[in-house]
């Protein structure tokens, strides 16, 4: 009945096109959804701190500066989100994705996780904090479609 | 004096047309009100979890998945609401309606209950947390009209 | 620099035209301010509960119903306010005005009180919780003008 | 490692001895648990308002006074609880139990529900907000024992 | 079942012995209650600011300093309270009592008001925010006794 | 992906043109940023209290009135901000800037500090609460550009 | 000066004796610290849900039940903690540790991470949210010792 | 009437014996006060980060590590405080003191500032957020004595 736009933050994996699939799905369904997420350019994300604020001699401080600058974006957008989707791929440790899930959980945000069943056991604490556990991006679109319009 | 739109969540009974009556009343009164509420298609509401996320062998997990997916919608919209109206019919246990009332109460939302006087005793704790106890949908419209415009 | 509109709630006395004076002042100064406040029709405010929800045999329950219905409006608008102005006249006990001031204070809202110096001693706890103590409506307009535009 | 005492609120059904069973179980297990709950004397709970604050002519106001006085206890103790257990029996509507569950959920309290599987479908929204769904009081004791000591 | 002590703040009138009556009643009933409240020595309360922090030439700043110093106590103790009792006598404006009620209400504290029925209409907004409206101190003791022990 | 506008509060030094540099940089980069900040007219900021609310005989109360009126603006805008930039120049004590940083930090706002390296040691507690420590206004623009668009 | 006891939650890796090392260090230093943490018996932690609440046919629901029961403990203890230490080992994905870090961060808890420098890059977002990044358990003890007593 | 102990955090200047004076005064008055504060050993406070977590090549990162470790203590103790006293001496910039004041203010803690009148103008924003502005340590003791016992 209302014209509310839904703000959905897409956290996690940056090595596959799942965000694009969700974007296309949301668009095709004509959903009133604004998608946000982290900067997904890996190199930029790693180097933003030193690129803007000056070089560091160690990887540790380079990382600290970069992660802090990225946090300006991620914290702001997660706090503004209605729903947080967290994607885990089958590679890398992706601790930032799990961190985002914990952060969103403590803020009381509805969480949807998105990952292969094969890594479900390792993700059990994260999944237990989620309202839906999806395996494919189109399921995320269907969840948003149902939550917003009631369509199945 | 201001142009504020009021966001009113309509929780509870899905077997009568009370939401439609309120919608019509609000429209006829020309009130700046956005009405929201749960998905009211009973079958969709029951099956949404398994329809999207895959089948379950037991009713219990089917329900768990469905109720969790519905919570993505209901929590988001209740938290966005200025006022929460909770309707109890004379059939079914409607524990979700009472749950929503408790949830809204802890968030400090103004609550209006809507039910026959005949079930008032069973609802006394819920009514005691409400700012108004109405029996008919038009009273809800009148409350919104008065609260927003001062008209009686 | 920004185009923010300021939401200002005008609480308290309903027997003089101070709200109208502030409204005119804000308009003449062209300030981006939305003014809100309680229903100021005394009779409607007293009778709204029973008029909508049915008669009561005692004044106490008539008052309880009415005050509760009014609270739907006042709580919602105070929580939405950026600034709360609380006016005390020289008549009546106006406990609702002091209640609103305490409510706004606990929510961390900036408070401006508006009253004659002659009742300042009785209002010392309320004034001590305020960021400004004004005596005349035009001072409230000047405060808003300065806070928003920097003009003196 | 720590000597923390756990504060567990037992909400809901007052017509069976489930609270006593949990109390005994907790005692036998030697758990550092303080159990709290509502007043379980049905007549006292219904009449406390008018007994203390004076009689009312209608059931509705008798109920309002009573439920409000009971809320002084229940709100205070739920907010002080680490864990909230909510019991649903097979009789009565028990809307206050579901209300408490919603209230506890919005406060972010861990919830354990306790009820027969036969009413699980009707309770699906409440169960979906719980971290455990138990059928027998001894399971609640086992959950507390495990959560506090790690014993299985 | 638990050994919780209840923290009850007694706000308002300082010209009758109602606090002493409640203290005696609580003691006789053996309730686990800690009573707190404002400084009730009127002269000290008015002069504490200038007595400690230096004299002022105007009543207004004397009041400001005094009310601010008193707020160190009252805010701290209200925020620590489980229940707030607010007493209104038949004399003076007692805006600080109404302010405390509003402050406690926004913090979600259970409120009990205590006043003659004769001033009930003027207090309707405050009473509507309370969970009990008492006329005599022994009723407050009875409410605490019931809320804590279930005795009627 | 979304059209979110970012609200950035610029706190601190008022004796150089750093706000104007950031404003120009944001404009040239075409960023969806609304910049806010305190009143930067030093004389107006000092005198606003007495100019509007009447003269005081002492500097202390003149300052108290003025700082309180300014707080109406600064608190409101800091609470509305997504990001708070705090600039420290090499002159004056600028305790208000450090106060704003502490205030923003407790609210969980992302903070960027802006100051010469030469005063970094004295600012170490403030910098440790920041997500970025910049030395030049264009770095602040670059941070906003990266955080919003991902451009480096 | 005060006798405050510090509540420190030890999250993460359960395959080495780091908790025991911290416990011994805290004991030897005589610090007023209560250490808490998750259940570290891996098998019990995996099976607690089905052991208490009944078997499941799939690993996914076994995990869901278990992780939810564990969350009763972990959420309660993290919210009660003054400081949260999060340990990452060099094996396993340990997403629950990163989840806990995010959860603690959103609650505003001071975080100390504990891990080898070799995994620092993968943990950069988690480390950036921490107030200290340690490599060895004795450093955690030294941090607690310094934070509590000022000893270096 | 109650036996509450008051938790008072003493922030700011570490180059005079004001904390000791307050400690002695509180002791002589027999007040139920627990005093807390930052580590006041300047060298330890500066070096704690690198002493525990390893050396840095730059002053900036040495400071960052140290200030972050100190924040584990200061944040924890400020959040646990009932009242925050902030002392400004006549030397150094003491930005950390002003930061603490802002932090405490956003948390709603009652603040007492302590400084010479001569620096009052520079501190006007900080003082305006305080409930008392004292010049001498014994005034702080008197404020605590009055707030706790009512003695003048």
């Amino acid at each position: 009945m209302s014209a509310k736009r839904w703000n959905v933050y897409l956290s996690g994996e940056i090595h596959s096109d799942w965000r694009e699939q969700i974007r296309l799905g949301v668009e095709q369904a004509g959903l009133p959804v604004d998608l946000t997420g982290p900067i997904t350019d890996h190199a930029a994300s790693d180097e933003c701190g030193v690129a803007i604020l000056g070089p560091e001699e160690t990887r540790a401080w380079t990382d600290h500066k970069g992660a802090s600058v990225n946090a300006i974006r991620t914290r702001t957008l997660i706090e503004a989100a209605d729903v947080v989707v967290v994607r885990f791929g089958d590679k890398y440790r992706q601790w930032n994705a799990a961190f985002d899930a914990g952060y969103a959980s403590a803020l009381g945000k509805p969480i949807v996780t998105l990952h292969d069943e094969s890594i479900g056991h390792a993700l059990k604490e994260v999944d237990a904090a989620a309202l839906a556990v999806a395996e494919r991006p189109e399921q995320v679109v269907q969840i948003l479609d149902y939550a917003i319009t009631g369509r199945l």
Side-chain angles (χ1 to χ4, degrees), chain A:
Chain A
M1 308 176 198
S2 107
K4 175 186 166 60
R5 292 191 69 78
W6 287 62
N7 192 323
V8 179
Y9 185 86
L10 305 176
S11 169
E13 195 206 19
I14 60 173
H15 300 288
S16 75
D17 69 344
W18 67 280
R19 283 189 185 80
E20 180 63 9
Q21 289 186 51
I22 290 177
R23 198 186 61 70
L24 281 173
V26 157
E27 198 176 282
Q28 285 168 5
L31 298 178
V33 166
D34 292 319
L35 297 170
T36 61
I39 298 304
T40 56
D41 176 332
H42 195 155
S45 168
D46 266 15
E47 301 305 321
C48 61
V50 293
I52 298 172
L53 299 169
E56 292 296 327
E57 303 218 343
T58 65
R59 184 72 242 167
W61 289 122
T62 299
D63 283 345
H64 182 81
K65 271 185 168 173
S68 297
V69 166
N70 280 301
I72 295 173
R73 177 185 178 92
T74 56
R75 277 198 212 165
T76 301
L77 295 179
I78 290 177
E79 293 194 15
D82 293 308
V83 177
V84 175
V85 179
V86 191
R87 162 76 183 162
F88 293 86
D90 52 4
K91 287 188 211 141
Y92 310 105
R93 310 208 185 182
Q94 309 171 74
W95 282 318
N96 56 332
F99 181 88
D100 283 357
Y103 196 91
S105 180
L107 297 178
K109 306 284 179 189
I111 295 170
V112 177
T113 56
L114 172 62
H115 59 80
D116 281 354
E117 196 183 358
S118 60
I119 54 175
H121 182 59
L123 280 167
K124 65 181 186 295
E125 289 86 1
V126 180
D127 282 351
L131 288 174
V133 178
E135 289 183 73
R136 298 180 310 280
E138 66 262 33
Q139 290 174 313
V140 175
V141 176
Q142 288 165 343
I143 287 168
L144 294 174
D145 198 352
Y146 173 76
I148 297 171
T149 71
R151 273 192 299 247
L152 273 192

